Amino acid sequence: MVSSNSTSRLSRIKKSVILTQTDTTVGFVSQDANKLREIKSRQSTKPFIKVFSNFKALSKAKIRIPKQHKRALRRAKKTTFIVKNQAFRVSPYPLDSEVLRTLDWNYSTSANESGKNFQRAFCEQKADIIVENKEALFEGKASKLYKINHQTTKRLR
C-alpha cells in the first residue's frame, strides 16, 4: 500500500470495519462503534473493548489507572482491563500492516455473529478491509479480563 498524508483517506480508514488477526483471536476493529454494533447485532448498552497501539496513545485517552496497577498493566500480555466501566488493553498489532499502523486506537470485538463461532464467509461479507498474512485468520483464546480499582482486582474471564 502506498503511504499518503491525505486526510480524506485516513478518515475513510477510521470509519471502515477491518477484519484482522488480533493478538488473541480473529476480530473486527474499527473506530466506529455503531458499525461494529450493527454487524454484531449488539445491544447499545454493551460497550466494546478499546485497543491502544501503545502506552502513549493510552495516556492521551485520559484513562486514569490506579497507581498500584500501573506496573501490572505494563507487563500484561493478552489482557483486558476495566477501569470505571471503560474496557481497554494495550496491544501492538501482530500483523505489520500500514492500515493498522496509522491508527492509535480501535474498538475491537471478535469476528463472529453474537453467540456463534468464527465463520469466514460471514466475516468477509461484513468487513470493509481484510488484513491477513500467510498464516491466515484463526480463532484463538479470548483475552483475560480484569476489573480493577483502587482497592481490588477481580478476574472476570
Side-chain angles (χ1 to χ4, degrees):
M1 180 185 236
V2 178
S3 178
S4 172
N5 293 331
S6 168
T7 56
S8 62
R9 180 172 159 250
L10 186 59
S11 65
R12 280 185 287 157
I13 291 171
K14 287 182 177 183
K15 297 203 182 292
S16 298
V17 174
I18 302 168
L19 175 66
T20 187
Q21 186 67 42
T22 65
D23 61 331
T24 54
T25 188
V26 62
F28 289 122
V29 296
S30 178
Q31 288 192 341
D32 188 351
N34 292 327
K35 277 188 162 184
L36 290 177
R37 193 168 280 115
E38 183 181 312
I39 288 171
K40 297 278 287 184
S41 302
R42 195 173 195 165
Q43 300 168 349
S44 61
T45 57
K46 191 173 179 184
F48 290 102
I49 295 170
K50 201 169 187 180
V51 180
F52 295 94
S53 61
N54 54 44
F55 288 101
K56 189 175 184 180
L58 175 63
S59 66
K60 287 181 188 176
K62 309 261 192 240
I63 297 174
R64 189 151 193 271
I65 291 121
K67 189 174 184 176
Q68 63 268 30
H69 297 293
K70 287 183 179 181
R71 185 175 188 175
L73 184 96
R74 282 193 313 270
R75 292 180 178 206
K77 303 279 190 243
K78 300 181 182 184
T79 305
T80 300
F81 294 94
I82 300 173
V83 176
K84 294 186 179 181
N85 294 325
Q86 291 182 318
F88 66 92
R89 81 173 179 254
V90 177
S91 172
Y93 293 102
L95 301 178
D96 188 30
S97 166
E98 187 173 337
V99 172
L100 296 173
R101 263 186 280 155
T102 60
L103 305 171
D104 286 339
W105 64 272
N106 280 298
Y107 292 111
S108 177
T109 185
S110 59
N112 56 21
E113 290 182 82
S114 290
K116 297 184 180 177
N117 290 333
F118 171 66
Q119 294 176 342
R120 188 174 182 103
F122 167 78
C123 295
E124 287 179 350
Q125 179 186 9
K126 299 294 183 180
D128 299 323
I129 300 170
I130 300 171
V131 178
E132 70 178 306
N133 63 4
K134 62 183 178 183
E135 280 96 37
L137 302 172
F138 63 91
E139 189 172 24
K141 195 171 138 183
S143 65
K144 293 176 273 186
L145 183 63
Y146 290 96
K147 186 169 187 170
I148 59 176
N149 61 29
H150 289 289
Q151 287 84 28
T152 61
T153 301
K154 183 177 180 181
R155 185 168 181 170
L156 302 177
R157 173 173 67 195

